[in-house]
Amino acid sequence: PKFSKIQELLKVMDVIAEKRNVSLAQITLNWSIQKEYVSTCLVGATTTKHALDNCRAFDFQLNEEEMQLIDNKLIELGFCEGE
């Protein structure tokens, strides 16, 4: 059940990534760095291309609507509580 919930969350994030023409990893990192309660992001990169792609997550900022879409899905799926 948890895997299917993660799949649902990834679908929401994938739509945002597609609209912005960025990778899903960039959306995930960008969301994380905008959250005050996230103090560390563990990122893996097996190639220079992956590392550069991850760094591009700092080239933009998700807007309030995009952040809310992700947050609402996290709440809906039971991964966190509403504020």
Side-chain angles (χ1 to χ4, degrees):
K2 195 173 267 190
F3 182 75
S4 58
K5 288 181 177 183
I6 292 171
Q7 292 284 103
E8 287 185 51
L9 175 62
L10 291 175
K11 287 178 188 176
V12 170
M13 297 174 97
D14 198 39
V15 169
I16 297 169
E18 189 173 318
K19 286 181 182 176
R20 285 186 162 269
N21 197 32
V22 299
S23 70
L24 182 60
Q26 289 172 351
I27 295 297
T28 304
L29 287 170
N30 196 284
W31 177 87
S32 297
I33 61 176
Q34 290 189 59
K35 291 298 189 177
E36 290 180 9
Y37 57 83
V38 178
S39 61
T40 304
C41 294
L42 298 177
V43 180
T46 56
T47 67
T48 302
K49 184 178 183 292
H50 288 160
L52 292 172
D53 184 63
N54 290 340
C55 289
R56 288 190 197 98
F58 298 95
D59 291 345
F60 66 96
Q61 188 167 355
L62 293 172
N63 64 40
E64 185 61 36
E65 180 183 350
E66 293 164 329
M67 293 291 289
Q68 199 62 53
L69 281 170
I70 296 168
D71 290 346
N72 288 345
K73 185 52 83 171
L74 285 165
I75 292 166
E76 175 189 323
L77 295 171
F79 288 120
C80 62
E81 296 178 12
E83 294 181 34

